[in-house]
């Protein structure tokens, strides 16, 4: 049984978020299955794991959580690097260049970015090169 049904992040600009996440999710192999410029966007599998970026339901401003990040699993290190590069090209901010993080385990290869709303994201590969 998978651990998660879905993960949701807030945005204050759905259209801007779609441009950012469409490129990143394509690199990771996840398709967009929902888009509404007023409410949000969804990626993944309609009957499986999903990733959502939405305008907050309460109508308040979306904010990034301190100490929170979402790590996307990749199959190889090249995908980690492509994820990081694309995020920066799409207006994201660098939070950690692609590289080994041996403090986690010898093959932990990851990169960290922030999306345009300040949400922290990571791409990670656990496989040996």
């Amino acid at each position: 049984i998978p651990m998660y049904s879905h993960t949701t992040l807030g945005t204050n600009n759905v259209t801007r978020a779609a441009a950012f996440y469409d490129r990143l999710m394509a690199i990771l192999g996840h398709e967009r299955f929902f888009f509404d410029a007023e409410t949000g966007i969804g990626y993944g599998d309609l009957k499986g794991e999903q990733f959502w970026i939405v305008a907050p339901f309460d109508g308040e401003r979306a904010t990034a959580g301190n100490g929170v990040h979402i790590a996307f699993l990749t199959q190889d290190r090249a995908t980690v690097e492509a994820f990081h590069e694309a995020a920066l090209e799409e207006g994201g901010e660098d939070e950690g260049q692609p590289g080994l993080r041996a403090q986690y385990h010898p093959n932990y290869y990851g990169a960290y970015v922030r999306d345009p709303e300040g949400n922290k994201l990571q791409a990670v590969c656990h496989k040996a090169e």
Side-chain angles (χ1 to χ4, degrees):
I1 297 175
M3 184 180 289
Y4 294 102
S5 167
H6 61 279
T7 300
T8 303
L9 293 177
T11 185
N12 295 301
N13 185 325
V14 173
T15 302
R16 179 182 68 189
F20 181 84
Y21 282 103
D22 279 354
R23 185 156 176 214
L24 288 158
M25 293 297 108
I27 288 168
L28 298 173
H30 305 297
E31 294 184 24
R32 184 201 310 168
F33 64 82
F34 180 83
F35 175 80
D36 181 290
E38 298 295 317
T39 60
I41 45 182
Y43 301 90
D45 182 349
L46 277 172
K47 296 180 181 177
E49 298 170 355
Q50 301 171 5
F51 179 67
W52 290 87
I53 300 91
V54 301
F57 296 128
D58 65 5
E60 298 293 322
R61 184 160 179 73
T63 58
N66 186 23
V68 175
H69 85 271
I70 297 172
F72 294 100
L73 189 60
T74 70
Q75 294 300 310
D76 55 51
R77 294 176 182 191
T79 304
V80 171
E81 294 164 4
F83 174 94
H84 186 265
E85 181 179 341
L88 300 183
E89 289 174 358
E90 293 296 331
E93 294 182 23
D94 177 42
E95 281 288 323
Q97 292 285 316
L100 286 171
R101 275 39 179 206
Q103 68 269 31
Y104 302 130
H105 68 72
N107 295 316
Y108 194 106
Y109 191 87
Y112 299 85
V113 297
R114 290 204 183 261
D115 74 4
E117 302 290 348
N119 295 300
K120 192 172 183 181
L121 309 170
Q122 177 189 19
V124 62
C125 177
H126 295 288
K127 297 177 181 177
E129 188 169 33

